Amino acid sequence: MDVKTLLHHLRKELESIGHEHESREILENLFKRDISYLYAHDDLVVDQNILKRLEEVIEARKLGQPLAYIFNKRSFYGRDFFVNSSVLIPRLETEFSIQELLKLPGNSFLELGIGSGCVSITMKLERPSLSVDGVDISDQAIQVAGLNAKKHLAQVHFFKSNLFEKVTPSYDLIYSNPPYIKTKDMDDLEDEVKKYEPHLALNGGEDGLDFYKKIIKNTPDYLNKTGYLVLEIGYNQKEEIFALLDAIHFTGKCIQDYGGHDRVIIATRRK
């Protein structure tokens, strides 16, 4: 089979499951080549190992397995990160959080719930002078984040902690994108998310606010006087989180993402 025939076969298979837009990502991962090269050399004969791997990828996608887990890779803020089913797949929305975080002053940064480590590592790479710590309750997540830190030569400190449990210093910036899906809504998630991504990183309890309540309650003990608490939130959680912040005498502003959805809350002590 040549590349041209393979392209046609792949498009047909992906169209049958509504994922025809993924052909470029699949091909570039399979061939380790830019798509323009493949179009320019569509008469090349495809190696049998690639054909075999292609069929495995197609079958996995038909079952709903996300491409990021199939190839153990997701691009985030212009860099590739290793991911597996132990961590959430980095979302474009979280790149928006990075943009907001980079606008804030500070010399020390703590992330609660690092997952793949993409946020902490990106913060360190974009602001090299920043001291970066990150915690997670999952040993597997810490392992994945450590692999990514090593890959990107990022001098960050990751360790196991249930939120602030084993955190001792105070920080200028504290960030978290905690689980915020209501328990009753977990079954309504897309199959790709519900079947493959870790529920530990998704389920935010009965009202979706379990982790926000814990984080916000304890933040004053770990945030420097002029520091910032930055939270990524669900589209309909702004007012409830503002109320939690008010209870600890913090004030916040909410910033909408490119889709016009409430996305990031930036909070400070009330003056």
Side-chain angles (χ1 to χ4, degrees):
M1 182 185 293
D2 59 21
V3 170
K4 184 176 182 179
T5 306
L6 181 146
L7 288 168
H8 178 74
H9 170 67
L10 177 59
R11 287 197 194 99
K12 185 176 179 182
E13 291 287 354
L14 292 176
E15 284 174 1
S16 71
I17 56 174
H19 293 297
E20 56 270 22
H21 61 284
E22 295 177 345
S23 60
R24 175 173 182 162
E25 184 176 352
I26 292 173
L27 290 167
E28 291 186 340
N29 274 288
L30 286 173
F31 286 90
K32 312 300 182 188
R33 295 274 195 174
D34 186 84
I35 194 70
S36 60
Y37 176 89
L38 297 176
Y39 284 139
H41 299 83
D42 63 2
D43 57 342
L44 289 176
V45 176
V46 181
D47 183 271
Q48 287 298 315
N49 289 329
I50 291 180
L51 290 175
K52 181 181 178 182
R53 179 59 175 149
L54 174 64
E55 293 308 316
E56 292 172 350
V57 171
I58 290 171
E59 289 307 308
R61 283 305 285 134
K62 287 182 176 180
L63 292 173
Q65 188 173 349
L67 279 184
Y69 291 156
I70 294 172
F71 292 112
N72 295 121
K73 185 175 73 173
R74 172 51 66 94
S75 178
F76 181 82
Y77 217 77
R79 301 178 179 93
D80 286 338
F81 286 83
F82 173 84
V83 295
N84 62 23
S85 57
S86 299
V87 298
L88 284 183
I89 298 168
R91 263 59 172 190
L92 179 63
E93 292 85 357
T94 301
E95 293 191 5
F96 185 80
S97 293
I98 292 285
Q99 293 180 15
E100 295 305 315
L101 282 164
L102 289 172
K103 296 175 184 177
L104 302 174
N107 298 313
S108 54
F109 174 87
L110 171 68
E111 180 179 9
L112 301 171
I114 54 175
S116 66
C118 64
V119 171
S120 287
I121 292 168
T122 300
M123 288 296 294
K124 181 63 177 180
L125 296 176
E126 294 294 318
R127 193 185 291 179
S129 63
L130 190 67
S131 172
V132 175
D133 289 347
V135 303
D136 206 291
I137 197 172
S138 165
D139 290 315
Q140 292 82 7
I142 293 170
Q143 183 179 20
V144 169
L147 290 172
N148 282 317
K150 183 177 181 180
K151 173 181 179 180
H152 292 289
L153 304 177
Q155 297 297 313
V156 295
H157 179 216
F158 294 147
F159 58 99
K160 185 174 182 177
S161 177
N162 184 1
L163 299 179
F164 291 108
E165 181 183 35
K166 295 183 179 179
V167 174
T168 51
S170 58
Y171 298 84
D172 296 323
L173 300 170
I174 296 177
Y175 166 80
S176 188
N177 178 16
Y180 56 71
I181 306 297
K182 295 179 181 178
T183 301
K184 68 179 181 66
D185 293 334
M186 289 292 293
D187 287 338
D188 297 330
L189 295 173
E190 295 179 356
D191 282 349
E192 283 192 26
V193 177
K194 181 170 57 179
K195 291 182 178 180
Y196 293 97
E197 299 203 53
H199 286 199
L200 180 67
L202 293 166
N203 192 337
E206 184 177 350
D207 60 1
L209 299 171
D210 281 4
F211 291 89
Y212 293 106
K213 293 173 183 176
K214 295 173 183 177
I215 291 168
I216 291 171
K217 178 182 177 182
N218 291 286
T219 286
D221 295 329
Y222 298 91
L223 186 69
N224 290 333
K225 294 298 183 183
T226 58
Y228 297 86
L229 172 65
V230 180
L231 300 169
E232 190 165 327
I233 67 169
Y235 73 95
N236 60 352
Q237 295 176 315
K238 177 179 71 174
E239 296 304 328
E240 293 166 306
I241 293 173
F242 275 166
L244 294 172
L245 290 168
D246 186 65
I248 63 165
H249 308 292
F250 270 51
T251 183
K253 63 178 180 178
C254 186
I255 301 171
Q256 295 185 332
D257 61 22
Y258 300 122
H261 302 295
D262 291 335
R263 180 60 56 190
V264 177
I265 284 181
I266 300 174
T268 57
R269 285 178 170 84
R270 188 179 296 121
K271 296 178 181 179

